[in-house]
Amino acid sequence: MTILSVNAKALRLVDKMVRDAAELRISVTTGPLGERLIDAGAAVAGGIEAGLHLARICMGGLGTVSAAADRGPDSWPWSVVVRSSLPVIACLGSQYAGWSLHHGDGGDAYFALGSGPARALAHKEALFDEVAYRDQADHGVLVLETDTAPPPVIVEKVAEDCGIPPSNLTFIYAPTRSLAGTIQVVARVLEVALHKAHAVHFPLERILDGLGTAPISPPHPDFVTALGRTNDAIIYGGHVHLFVSGSKEDAEGLAQALPSAGSRDFGAPFAEIFKRFNGDFYAIDPLLFSPAEVIVTAVDHGASFHSGARSRDLLDKSFR
């Protein structure tokens, strides 16, 4: 049986990104251990197109990501549109930022959350026990939401955990404050819905297909403001449509459980919530991290269920 490799598919996208480096306004260098380093928005301009490439790579080549005009909210009509017919592997098995990478203490410490297909080689997260997917590839690609390239000690760790030499690794990095970083975070709108479905114990194998859209938030040089805007794009502006198997009752229950409005912390821009909890992500209600509006279709019955709504006022408050 042919093994579907998210790293092999992503590598082809990375190679195209490298060939188009000049027009994408990115830089490509080789690190001290032979690893390939791609800066998509830290010391370079990057841009929306670089961010779209980055989001597709995050999904292991199993999703389409584009920018398009949306029907709303009217004040912010340009959106990222994401689609995958293998959403569990694309979103949870690849795109999810679940690999915590850190080294050192104090001012010299390095920390980044790794997302993308190399996670499926390393299998360091308990989530993979439920996703039931492991990649086999001789090259790995990891995306880091940071403004610095990983130090050699992190490169060595990732290579060891993935079972490949450092020279077969590609790291792509862009901070949230950059245009490319903004796009790749907002493009997680479908992934956030999948993760929320997992959190409310909906069987992942019954999620057959999915689409999502969220407004492109304007970047900001301040980290917390930029972080807040990208989260608000999903929490208050995200719209996801999932197609699931099973009973109508289960589909309706999932639709009711998914929207962010069910969270105790819903109702304020994310930057305000983040500051309220003194920057502690883990103190924020995890159920907040979900799209504003959802449709769930039970494909075995032809019934669809709608829940939630997008909030123009909160997006305006966050984005202006």
Side-chain angles (χ1 to χ4, degrees):
M1 183 178 70
T2 301
I3 296 175
L4 179 68
S5 173
V6 289
N7 282 279
K9 290 182 71 66
L11 185 62
R12 292 193 287 271
L13 298 177
V14 171
D15 289 342
K16 183 180 187 307
M17 196 176 189
V18 170
R19 290 194 299 271
D20 296 339
E23 64 185 81
L24 293 175
R25 298 181 298 189
I26 63 175
S27 72
V28 184
T29 58
T30 301
L33 299 178
E35 71 278 15
R36 181 163 53 178
L37 302 171
I38 300 178
D39 178 356
V44 297
I48 290 174
E49 189 61 31
L52 295 173
H53 278 67
L54 194 51
R56 296 176 194 124
I57 290 165
C58 272
M59 298 181 77
L62 296 178
T64 63
V65 186
S66 60
D70 192 9
R71 64 175 174 82
D74 296 339
S75 300
W76 311 100
W78 294 101
S79 294
V80 174
V81 180
V82 183
R83 177 175 58 82
S84 178
S85 290
L86 289 170
V88 174
I89 296 176
C91 295
L92 299 184
S94 188
Q95 188 182 24
Y96 178 59
W99 194 355
S100 179
L101 298 167
H102 55 85
H103 175 72
D105 298 303
D108 295 329
Y110 180 88
F111 173 78
L113 287 175
S115 62
R119 294 176 49 245
L121 292 174
H123 250 238
K124 301 296 289 184
E125 306 153 49
L127 179 61
F128 280 100
D129 294 335
E130 296 180 62
V131 173
Y133 172 74
R134 180 187 288 273
D135 195 7
Q136 296 180 21
D138 55 9
H139 285 74
V141 182
L142 198 65
V143 175
L144 304 172
E145 192 178 337
T146 180
D147 58 4
T148 55
V153 66
I154 294 293
V155 175
E156 288 177 337
K157 171 181 171 50
V158 171
E160 180 179 356
D161 289 343
C162 290
I164 58 177
S167 57
N168 284 9
L169 280 173
T170 296
F171 294 90
I172 313 176
Y173 59 99
T176 310
R177 60 175 171 78
S178 67
L179 259 177
T182 292
I183 294 295
Q184 79 91 4
V185 175
V186 173
R188 296 175 182 275
V189 59
L190 179 59
E191 175 249 293
V192 166
L194 268 287
H195 195 264
K196 179 74 168 284
H198 171 257
V200 299
H201 307 295
F202 189 87
L204 295 178
E205 68 275 9
R206 287 171 52 192
I207 301 176
L208 306 178
D209 219 313
L211 307 94
T213 182
I216 297 174
S217 57
H220 196 283
D222 175 69
F223 167 73
V224 173
T225 303
L227 175 72
R229 287 179 172 184
T230 54
N231 276 278
D232 290 335
I234 295 172
I235 294 168
Y236 300 119
H239 191 180
V240 166
H241 191 162
L242 298 181
F243 298 82
V244 304
S245 62
S247 71
K248 291 186 292 184
E249 291 76 16
D250 285 353
E252 183 176 18
L254 180 61
Q256 293 300 319
L258 281 180
S260 53
S263 166
R264 67 166 192 256
D265 293 327
F266 179 91
F270 187 82
E272 294 182 12
I273 298 170
F274 189 71
K275 292 173 183 176
R276 184 193 312 159
F277 288 99
N278 299 313
D280 183 358
F281 257 109
Y282 297 101
I284 300 170
D285 180 11
L287 298 182
L288 179 66
F289 299 98
S290 45
E293 187 175 10
V294 301
I295 302 169
V296 179
T297 295
V299 297
D300 298 327
H301 305 278
S304 295
F305 304 94
H306 180 281
S307 184
R310 291 185 277 185
S311 173
R312 174 177 173 174
D313 290 345
L314 283 166
L315 286 176
D316 284 348
K317 187 175 182 180
S318 173
F319 288 4
R320 291 192 187 280

